[in-house]
Amino acid sequence: MRQKERLQHQHDEFNQRWKNQSETLSRLQEAYDNETRTEEKIRLEPILQDKQKQREQVEQQLQALEAEIKQQDLQEIIGNA
């Protein structure tokens, strides 16, 4: 598998992970917003924060991978010129 194909495959995987985590985070936020019991809100807060951190990490990895793909594309263009 070529480097570019490998990077694109990783990009697709990270993108799917980000979407899944965003969906989970959205559902947790909705549950938190609709919750009326204080104890349950307190229980949900650290879970929400943890999921937000996880999504931010995946987002950073995704951005780094996108930058690497752009660099590969640029090198390929320069090599073809």
Side-chain angles (χ1 to χ4, degrees):
M1 184 180 285
R2 290 183 9 187
Q3 176 74 4
K4 187 172 180 178
E5 291 170 348
R6 182 185 63 78
L7 290 174
Q8 188 60 48
H9 181 70
Q10 283 181 329
H11 180 270
D12 294 343
E13 287 178 357
F14 279 119
N15 198 30
Q16 186 61 43
R17 282 178 57 195
W18 187 87
K19 286 179 184 178
N20 291 342
Q21 288 179 346
S22 292
E23 184 177 316
T24 300
L25 187 58
S26 177
R27 289 180 180 173
L28 278 170
Q29 185 66 53
E30 183 177 344
Y32 179 83
D33 292 342
N34 293 332
E35 187 56 61
T36 57
R37 297 171 293 170
T38 304
E39 307 84 29
E40 187 63 14
K41 280 194 170 225
I42 291 171
R43 187 188 73 79
L44 287 173
E45 283 176 1
I47 297 170
L48 256 167
Q49 291 171 355
D50 184 51
K51 290 295 180 186
Q52 287 172 335
K53 287 179 186 176
Q54 288 177 9
R55 187 178 71 170
E56 287 172 6
Q57 289 172 347
V58 171
E59 188 171 348
Q60 289 172 352
Q61 292 170 325
L62 189 57
Q63 289 173 350
L65 197 53
E66 287 172 350
E68 190 175 344
I69 289 171
K70 287 179 183 178
Q71 184 66 29
Q72 286 278 332
D73 289 344
L74 182 60
Q75 290 176 354
E76 189 176 309
I77 290 170
I78 291 171
N80 289 338

